[in-house]
C-alpha cells in the first residue's frame, strides 16, 4: 500500500496530529522527516493510503497550517 | 516542632508526591530535547509537552492545546504581553491590587510614553464595575487585572470587567498567579484574553513553570515575542516562526518542570472534593472569622466573604510585623510572609505601606489543626504585645 507523510512546520504540530489521528482510529506513526523532503530538524506523521481521506479532512479543521502531504516513493 | 506552612501564596508546599515522581520519570525516560531531532527521547519529551499543553488548556476551559504558551513563571508571561502588545502612547487600566510583576514592566514602559491609571475600587481594592467607563480613554489599549490579590485575597469581578472592556474592543490580561488552581477559571467564560499563570502556587507544580493561555478569539499576530531563538522548527531561516506554539517559545523548555506541573494539575483534578475552594472553603472562612474577632488584630481581606480567596493579611497593634513573623516561626513553627509581598501598589491602596503586613495563605494540604494553631498563636501575640518584645 502507498505510504504518505504529513509534513508540518513544527514537531509539536506533528505530535498533536498523530494523537488526533490515533483517536480517529487511523494507523499512523511519528517518524523522522526523510531528508530529501525537508531541511528541517523535526518529525512528521507517517500513514498508509487508507488513512488519507481522514487525514485530509482533519487538516481542514486544524487551527494551524500544515506544510504538505507527500506520497513516499517506494 | 512541626512546621505549619502558611506561605502558600509565595509558593505552595508540600507538593503532591506525584509531582516529583513525574519529574524524575521525565528526566530518566524522556531525556531528549523536545522538538529537536526525531529520535525516541526527543519525541518522548515532545509528547510530554503536548500532554502538559492538553492538561493546561482543558484546566482553563480552552479546547486548543496550542493556545498554551509556556514560560518560566507569571512574571515572564506578564512581561511578554505588556512588552509584546503595548505600543508607544498607549494607556493601560490596572486594578489597585497589582503585583510588581505588572507594575515594574509598566514603569519600564513609561519610557515609551505608555501610561497607566488605577481603576476605582472599594476599600478592599475590589473594582467597582459601575465606575469603569469614565476611566477609559481613546488610547486605552489594555486592562490588567490581578484576579486574586496576593495581599488580601480579594477576587475581582473579572467577568463584569471584561464585558465592559470588550464593549470598547479592549482586551483583558488577567494575572491568575494566585487564583489558578484555587478558583475554577474558564478563560472564554470569564472574558479573559490573556491568562497569565504561574505553576508553583495553587497549581501545585514546581518553580520555574508558568505560561499564558490565549483566549480563543485572540489574534496572536498582534503580539511580538519577548525573545527570539531556536525552536527546532523552520531552522533554515533566521526569522522567528509566526505560528503557535513556537512563536513565543524560543529556547529549550523546562520539560521536567512542566511534567511536574501536569502532575500537580492532575492531582487537583483527581481531588476536586478536597480542593481549598470546596472543602477548605468553610474551614478557611471560619479561620478568617476567628482571626478577625481577635482584639488588636487588623485583618486585610475582602469586604464580602464571597469575594475572598485563600489569602489574607494582618497587622497587630503595638507589635512589629517582622518581630511577630519571626516569633511565629521560631516559637510556633508557623511560616507566614511578612512585608510588602512585591505589591507596593496594593499596600499603598490598603494603607499598609510601607510597613506591610503578615500574610497567611492556605493550600489543599492545610489542616484544621494548622488553622487552630495559627489562631492560638495570633491570640498570644495580640494579648502580649508589651511583654513579648
Ligand atoms: C498576584 C501575583 N502576580 C504575579 C506573581 C509573580 O509570580 P512568579 O514569581 O511566579 O512569576 C505573584 C507571585 O508572588 C503574585 O502573587
Amino acid at each position: 500500500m502507498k505510504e504518505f507523510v504529513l509534513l508540518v512546520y513544527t514537531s509539536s504540530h506533528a505530535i498533536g496530529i498523530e494523537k488526533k489521528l490515533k483517536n480517529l482510529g487511523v494507523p499512523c506513526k511519528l517518524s523522522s522527516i526523510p531528508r530529501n523532503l525537508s531541511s528541517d530538524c523535526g518529525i512528521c506523521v507517517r500513514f498508509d493510503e487508507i488513512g488519507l481521506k481522514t487525514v485530509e479532512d482533519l487538516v481542514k479543521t486544524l487551527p494551524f497550517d500544515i506544510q504538505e502531504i507527500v506520497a513516499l516513493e517506494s | 516542632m512541626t512546621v505549619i506552612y502558611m506561605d502558600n501564596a509565595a509558593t505552595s508546599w508540600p507538593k503532591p508526591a506525584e509531582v516529583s515522581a513525574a519529574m524524575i520519570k521525565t528526566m530518566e525516560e524522556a531525556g531528549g530535547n523536545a522538538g529537536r531531532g526525531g529520535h525516541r527521547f526527543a519525541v518522548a519529551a515532545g509528547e510530554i509537552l503536548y500532554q502538559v499543553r492538553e492538561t493546561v488548556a482543558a484546566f482553563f476551559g480552552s479546547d486548543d492545546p496550542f493556545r498554551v504558551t509556556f514560560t518560566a513563571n507569571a512574571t515572564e508571561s506578564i512581561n511578554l504581553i505588556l512588552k509584546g502588545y503595548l505600543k508607544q502612547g498607549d494607556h493601560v487600566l490596572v486594578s489597585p491590587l497589582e503585583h510588581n510583576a505588572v507594575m515594574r514592566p509598566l514603569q519600564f514602559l513609561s519610557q515609551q510614553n505608555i501610561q497607566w491609571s488605577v481603576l476605582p475600587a472599594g476599600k478592599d481594592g475590589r473594582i467597582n464595575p459601575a465606575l469603569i467607563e469614565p476611566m477609559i480613554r481613546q488610547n486605552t489599549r489594555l486592562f490588567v487585572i490581578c484576579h486574586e490579590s496576593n495581599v488580601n485575597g480579594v477576587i475581582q469581578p473579572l467577568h463584569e470587567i471584561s464585558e465592559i472592556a470588550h464593549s470598547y474592543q479592549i482586551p483583558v490580561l488577567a494575572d491568575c498567579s494566585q487564583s489558578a488552581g484555587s478558583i475554577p477559571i474558564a478563560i472564554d467564560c470569564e472574558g479573559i484574553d490573556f491568562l497569565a499563570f504561574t505553576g508553583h502556587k495553587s497549581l501545585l507544580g514546581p518553580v520555574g513553570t508558568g505560561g499564558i493561555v490565549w483566549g480563543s478569539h485572540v489574534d496572536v499576530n498582534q503580539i511580538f515575542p519577548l525573545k527570539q531563538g531556536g525552536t527546532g522548527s523552520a531552522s533554515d531561516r533566521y526569522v522567528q516562526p509566526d505560528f503557535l506554539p513556537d512563536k513565543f517559545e524560543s529556547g529549550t523548555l523546562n520539560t521536567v518542570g512542566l511534567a511536574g506541573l501536569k502532575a500537580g494539575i492532575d492531582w487537583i483534578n483527581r481531588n476536586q472534593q478536597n480542593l481549598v475552594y470546596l472543602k477548605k472553603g468553610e474551614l478557611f472562612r471560619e479561620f478568617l472569622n476567628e482571626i478577625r474577632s481577635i482584639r488588636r488584630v487588623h485583618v486585610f481581606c475582602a469586604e464580602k466573604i464571597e469575594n475572598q480567596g485563600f489569602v489574607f493579611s494582618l497587622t497587630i497593634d503595638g507589635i512589629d510585623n517582622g518581630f511577630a513573623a519571626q516569633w511565629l516561626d521560631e516559637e510556633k513553627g508557623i511560616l507566614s510572609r511578612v512585608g510588602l509581598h512585591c505589591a507596593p501598589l496594593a499596600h499603598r491602596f490598603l494603607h499598609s505601606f510601607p510597613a506591610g503586613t503578615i500574610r497567611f495563605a492556605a493550600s489543599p494540604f492545610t489542616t484544621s489543626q494548622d488553622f487552630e494553631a495559627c489562631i492560638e498563636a495570633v491570640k498570644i501575640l495580640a494579648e502580649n504585645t508589651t511583654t513579648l518584645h
Side-chain angles (χ1 to χ4, degrees):
Chain A
M1 199 186 292
K2 222 173 176 176
E3 263 201 299
F4 291 81
V5 292
L6 183 151
L7 299 175
V8 287
Y9 290 106
T10 178
S11 64
S12 33
H13 290 172
I15 290 167
I17 290 172
E18 188 230 21
K19 196 156 179 190
K20 287 204 163 84
L21 286 176
K22 288 220 159 116
N23 287 341
L24 292 168
V26 176
C28 60
K29 67 173 187 185
L30 292 169
S31 92
S32 294
I33 302 172
R35 291 306 294 182
N36 61 329
L37 288 182
S38 162
S39 62
D40 215 335
C41 52
I43 45 176
C44 61
V45 186
R46 209 166 166 138
F47 57 95
D48 288 333
E49 192 165 15
I50 197 169
L52 185 58
K53 174 85 176 62
T54 318
V55 174
E56 285 172 343
D57 288 346
L58 174 71
V59 162
K60 287 183 204 138
T61 68
L62 295 172
F64 51 83
D65 294 333
I66 65 146
Q67 226 165 325
E68 59 179 331
I69 296 171
V70 187
L72 290 179
E73 305 291 329
S74 47
Chain B
M1 194 190 312
T2 53
V3 164
I4 298 173
Y5 185 79
M6 296 301 285
D7 197 15
N8 290 287
T11 193
S12 58
W13 185 89
K15 311 291 183 190
E18 291 88 338
V19 171
S20 41
M23 293 170 75
I24 291 169
K25 191 168 186 304
T26 301
M27 225 180 308
E28 289 178 350
E29 296 174 16
N33 193 330
R36 279 73 165 168
H39 61 72
R40 72 189 75 177
F41 277 10
V43 173
E47 284 175 330
I48 286 174
L49 286 183
Y50 186 72
Q51 288 163 15
V52 189
R53 279 186 215 288
E54 282 186 314
T55 303
V56 170
F59 192 75
F60 293 112
S62 164
D63 58 10
D64 184 354
F66 294 124
R67 289 211 156 237
V68 175
T69 291
F70 294 127
T71 63
N73 46 45
T75 303
E76 187 185 334
S77 304
I78 292 164
N79 269 267
L80 192 162
I81 301 297
L82 296 178
K83 293 174 183 165
Y85 172 72
L86 294 171
K87 297 199 175 61
Q88 192 151 17
D90 283 347
H91 171 248
V92 182
L93 285 167
V94 302
S95 88
L97 301 180
E98 294 307 313
H99 188 275
N100 264 350
V102 170
M103 298 317 296
R104 283 187 174 165
L106 282 181
Q107 183 62 24
F108 173 80
L109 289 169
S110 66
Q111 294 164 10
Q112 293 171 30
N113 194 25
I114 289 169
Q115 293 171 345
W116 52 270
S117 21
V118 177
L119 286 161
K123 278 203 195 91
D124 59 358
R126 192 166 195 266
I127 293 163
N128 182 346
L131 303 179
I132 291 177
E133 285 201 65
M135 298 295 294
I136 297 176
R137 302 182 190 169
Q138 207 128 48
N139 60 338
T140 304
R141 280 249 301 163
L142 185 67
F143 278 62
V144 186
I145 308 294
C146 180
H147 189 196
E148 177 183 341
S149 162
N150 66 315
V151 174
N152 64 359
V154 157
I155 298 165
Q156 297 290 356
L158 254 185
H159 181 73
E160 287 149 274
I161 296 167
S162 56
E163 275 199 334
I164 298 166
H166 290 171
S167 70
Y168 288 81
Q169 280 80 46
I170 304 169
V172 175
L173 161 59
D175 174 1
C176 296
S177 298
Q178 294 296 334
S179 55
S182 73
I183 304 171
I185 306 171
I187 183 164
D188 287 337
C189 298
E190 290 288 356
I192 302 169
D193 298 276
F194 315 119
L195 188 160
F197 68 93
T198 203
H200 64 101
K201 298 184 197 270
S202 295
L203 291 172
L204 306 178
V207 291
T209 59
I212 298 168
V213 187
W214 306 93
S216 61
H217 301 294
V218 171
D219 174 13
V220 295
N221 289 319
Q222 56 181 338
I223 321 281
F224 286 102
L226 192 59
K227 56 194 177 183
Q228 291 77 26
T231 53
S233 54
S235 299
D236 53 337
R237 275 172 277 156
Y238 295 136
V239 288
Q240 184 72 9
D242 60 1
F243 47 81
L244 291 173
D246 297 14
K247 177 173 182 177
F248 302 108
E249 290 184 348
S250 286
T252 301
L253 286 173
N254 179 6
T255 315
V256 171
L258 290 167
L261 172 62
K262 176 179 182 300
I265 298 176
D266 287 344
W267 186 93
I268 294 170
N269 287 332
R270 273 198 315 278
N271 290 279
Q272 287 289 344
Q273 75 282 6
N274 288 326
L275 274 186
V276 271
Y277 64 80
L278 296 173
K279 184 165 152 238
K280 293 270 161 53
E282 279 307 304
L283 274 184
F284 191 81
R285 284 176 188 199
E286 280 170 32
F287 171 47
L288 179 56
N289 282 337
E290 286 279 336
I291 295 277
R292 288 180 86 172
S293 69
I294 304 172
R295 272 189 62 219
R296 294 203 201 85
V297 173
H298 296 278
V299 176
F300 297 77
C301 61
E303 286 185 326
K304 292 193 181 138
I305 192 72
E306 63 266 28
N307 304 326
Q308 179 68 49
F310 297 92
V311 186
F312 70 84
S313 286
L314 57 82
T315 54
I316 304 170
D317 277 349
I319 202 157
D320 174 74
N321 291 334
F323 170 83
Q326 193 175 347
W327 183 88
L328 287 169
D329 181 353
E330 287 174 0
E331 300 297 322
K332 300 289 174 187
I334 296 170
L335 311 190
S336 62
R337 167 86 184 277
V338 69
L340 291 171
H341 315 101
C342 301
L345 182 73
H347 279 286
R348 279 180 199 275
F349 186 86
L350 300 169
H351 305 293
S352 43
F353 187 88
T357 54
I358 308 167
R359 181 179 72 187
F360 292 84
S363 96
F365 296 102
T366 314
T367 64
S368 50
Q369 289 90 330
D370 293 341
F371 290 133
E372 279 158 25
C374 291
I375 295 164
E376 284 318 304
V378 173
K379 273 187 187 156
I380 295 174
L381 278 171
E383 283 161 12
N384 298 281
T385 48
T386 44
T387 49
L388 276 175
H389 281 274

